[in-house]
Amino acid sequence: MRAPTAPDRSMATPELFASLTDDVVASGSVTVTVPTPSTGEPLHELPHSSADDVGEAVARARLAQLAWARAGFAERRRILLRAHDRLLDRNALLLDLVQLESGKTRGQAVEEVFEAASVTRYNALAARRVLRGRSRRAGVPLAVTTRVRYRAKGVVGVITPWNYALSLAAMDVVPALAAGCAVVQKADDQGALSILALRRAFIEAGVPEAAWAVVTGSGTVVGEALTDRVDYICFTGSTATGRAIAEKAGRRLVGASLELGGKNAMIVLDDVDPVQAAADAAYGCFSAMGQLCVSMERIYVHRRIAAPFTRALVEHLGAARLGSSLEYTSDFGSLATAAQLERVEEHLDDALANGATVLVGGRPRPDVGPWFFEPTVLTGVTSEMRVHAEETFGAIASLYLVDSDEEAILAANASEYGLNASVLTRSPRRARRAAEALEAGSVNINEGYRGSFSSVDAPMGGVKASGLGRRNGPEGLLRFVDPVTVSTSTGLLRLPRTAREFSALAGPFVLLARVLRAIRRR
């Protein structure tokens, strides 16, 4: 695998970093040094918040939320669309920040900025349509009318990981703002600059500063304090942490949406073009070096197509260009941290020790950067290996042979996770049958993840141990409001209150029920 030159000079500067990190709600002097994956060298100093800082941010957000909710849909729409335009105007800077913090390629950073803009535009334009009040059928026609309105939940807590900091922040924060909520967001250290730059565009567009606060720090301190105080919590991360957050939210009787782990499966049927399928599989597995909850880690290939597909996959990955250039010169980037590299090496060593074989990759690339690792495909993976069922979340995929569509579907479903799945086939009928049978929150046909990931009008989330709730689409907006039912007595027909009135109306009520059933009135 070839390596390009070192990173280019970025539009981002130390002065900008310091300016952005001044926006973190942090009253103390505790800071951490955040490195850049491309070199492992320090990128910037990030202040850390305390539990008291979280409490202060939530208290200010509660006051700001009252005015923000009263501003109404039209005003929020105007502000959010202005923020959308600022994101596009700052496209180059946002791309730089995403790359410097995550180690992604330029092309993979484009996905993040495009997604953030798409989410902003969608929620600005859809919020009024989805959340406006509506009449509902009354229980007793003529006697009452019934209407449902939606009330913003209040202050939403958002806990965002490092891997897709910009786009995942937008997916949770923007619909909350569009619904009239305020947000206190815990940013991961490795993605804080991207989040702070995103927030700044929204503040400059007119979102009140206190209505979107950013805090940083450890999950055990800042994350716990946030979950203890907000009216709703959004979390993206590991299943283990998600379970703990769900338990805490449950004790407080507040809602939560959780996008958690995945061990996503790609099924390659025997009617594909093997070269095209190999290119699709390579990107679906190793975009962001596999550090994406919806990327593929298991490839089930029909035996009849396995040989040409495997050759094409090995050739494609073997010729891929690794690097951290801030230009469009790299196919794959870096792992994000030393811990990520260690996890990948642990999974690989365990698999090889138990008999797996490397088809392609399998080596760290310190000549390119400290945390680079070649995209790696294994075969001969068995159930006693960690890589078989555990989420690697980086740089390793396993290839398995199957003899039928049904065998592939059963194998894909044999996982505790159910976040995303992919089917490569030329047959719409086979694709539809597989999509209906796969146990996953989203299924992509002839794509790895980007079809569903970019469809911001459609819900995104997981089943089984991959989470609860949905982001994006109307479902993503509705999680941030409470429905309120308002029924009004019309005075045209009085409901019974005394024994005599009930006696007189008991028969007519039974007749009314029969008539409503006959005319199929819900």
Side-chain angles (χ1 to χ4, degrees):
M1 295 186 183
R2 298 171 294 164
T5 57
D8 308 296
R9 182 174 178 82
S10 171
M11 293 179 61
T13 64
E15 292 75 20
L16 174 67
F17 301 157
S19 172
L20 289 173
T21 56
D22 280 345
D23 292 343
V24 175
V25 180
S27 58
S29 58
V30 177
T31 63
V32 295
T33 300
V34 180
T36 181
S38 60
T39 65
E41 297 298 317
L43 180 63
H44 69 101
E45 296 293 318
L46 180 69
H48 265 193
S49 311
S50 66
D52 288 341
D53 292 328
V54 174
E56 181 180 344
V58 171
R60 289 202 303 263
R62 289 204 183 282
L63 293 176
Q65 188 269 330
L66 297 175
W68 179 245
R70 283 198 298 269
F73 288 115
E75 177 66 4
R76 292 197 296 271
R77 168 179 168 160
R78 183 183 66 82
I79 291 171
L80 294 180
L81 289 177
R82 188 187 299 165
H84 168 275
D85 295 343
R86 277 172 164 73
L87 293 183
L88 297 183
D89 291 342
R90 298 170 191 183
N91 172 60
L93 173 61
L94 291 171
L95 292 175
D96 286 352
L97 292 175
V98 168
Q99 285 193 266
L100 290 169
E101 288 191 298
S102 70
K104 289 188 174 88
T105 66
R106 195 69 165 180
Q108 290 154 15
V110 166
E111 292 183 8
E112 286 226 54
V113 178
F114 178 82
E115 186 77 3
S118 297
V119 165
T120 302
R121 184 178 63 256
Y122 172 82
N123 285 286
L125 298 174
R128 183 184 185 95
R129 172 179 56 82
V130 174
L131 301 179
R132 70 178 185 270
R134 289 177 173 82
S135 296
R136 299 289 181 92
R137 188 188 68 79
V140 184
L142 299 179
V144 295
T145 61
T146 299
R147 187 173 181 81
V148 173
R149 67 178 180 87
Y150 294 99
R151 177 175 57 206
K153 284 185 180 291
V155 178
V156 173
V158 174
I159 301 177
T160 308
W162 48 264
N163 61 323
Y164 271 68
L166 190 74
S167 52
L168 292 177
M171 288 181 186
D172 285 336
V173 173
V174 178
L177 293 173
C181 295
V183 174
V184 178
Q185 180 180 14
K186 178 191 174 301
D188 188 276
D189 294 353
Q190 199 66 40
L193 289 178
S194 299
I195 287 170
L196 290 164
L198 178 71
R199 173 187 179 271
R200 181 164 292 184
F202 280 74
I203 301 306
E204 292 176 0
V207 173
E209 288 196 37
W212 182 357
V214 173
V215 294
T216 58
S218 71
T220 54
V221 175
V222 175
E224 292 274 344
L226 187 62
T227 309
D228 282 339
R229 289 171 169 82
V230 294
D231 305 307
Y232 190 90
I233 188 76
C234 302
F235 172 76
T236 305
S238 72
T239 297
T241 303
R243 291 185 196 276
I245 289 174
E247 182 178 350
K248 182 181 282 286
R251 287 198 300 269
R252 295 186 56 232
L253 298 180
V254 301
S257 62
L258 312 168
E259 187 181 293
L260 309 178
K263 191 71 176 176
N264 307 303
M266 172 177 279
I267 297 174
V268 184
L269 299 184
D270 58 355
D271 60 351
V272 299
D273 175 340
V275 175
Q276 179 61 53
D280 290 337
Y283 194 86
C285 292
F286 300 113
S287 177
M289 286 311 296
Q291 299 167 122
L292 171 60
C293 52
V294 291
S295 63
M296 301 294 114
E297 293 197 13
R298 297 178 291 150
I299 308 172
Y300 295 98
V301 185
H302 199 290
R303 195 177 301 275
R304 283 198 291 268
I305 199 74
F309 171 83
T310 302
R311 278 197 306 272
L313 182 60
V314 169
E315 290 173 5
H316 186 92
L317 291 174
R321 192 174 175 90
L322 299 182
S324 55
S325 170
L326 299 183
E327 301 294 335
Y328 296 94
T329 56
S330 305
D331 299 311
F332 298 108
S334 174
L335 295 168
T337 64
Q340 286 298 107
L341 176 61
E342 181 180 358
R343 181 175 178 84
V344 167
E345 291 181 322
E346 286 177 354
H347 274 209
L348 179 62
D349 291 345
D350 174 75
L352 296 180
N354 286 282
T357 300
V358 173
L359 286 173
V360 64
R363 296 185 302 151
R365 289 295 301 273
D367 57 309
V368 187
W371 304 321
F372 279 83
F373 199 91
E374 292 179 349
T376 300
V377 179
L378 301 178
T379 188
V381 172
T382 57
S383 58
E384 67 268 17
M385 302 173 192
R386 292 180 60 189
V387 75
H388 180 266
E390 288 184 28
E391 183 180 29
T392 303
F393 208 67
I396 297 179
S398 303
L399 188 147
Y400 306 86
L401 302 187
V402 294
D403 292 307
S404 67
D405 298 15
E406 291 73 20
E407 182 184 356
I409 291 166
L410 288 172
N413 288 342
S415 170
E416 66 172 322
Y417 297 109
L419 187 56
N420 183 36
S422 171
V423 182
L424 306 186
T425 177
R426 292 178 177 177
S427 167
R429 179 184 60 83
R430 294 172 77 184
R432 184 171 58 252
R433 288 180 59 192
E436 291 173 352
L438 285 165
E439 297 171 356
S442 58
V443 179
N444 286 267
I445 308 301
N446 295 323
E447 236 295 318
Y449 66 88
R450 289 178 295 181
S452 58
F453 191 77
S454 63
S455 298
V456 297
D457 189 32
M460 175 184 174
V463 298
K464 299 192 282 190
S466 289
L468 297 171
R470 295 293 185 268
R471 56 162 56 106
N472 290 348
E475 294 84 353
L477 278 161
L478 287 165
R479 59 188 165 148
F480 297 119
V481 294
D482 288 319
V484 178
T485 300
V486 180
S487 287
T488 303
S489 175
T490 65
L492 297 176
L493 175 64
R494 293 273 180 197
L495 294 176
R497 290 153 294 181
T498 66
R500 177 179 293 179
E501 291 171 345
F502 271 104
S503 176
L505 290 175
F509 268 104
V510 172
L511 178 61
L512 175 62
R514 293 188 184 280
V515 169
L516 294 176
R517 165 66 176 83
I519 64 174
R520 297 178 180 266
R521 181 74 179 271
R522 290 180 289 116

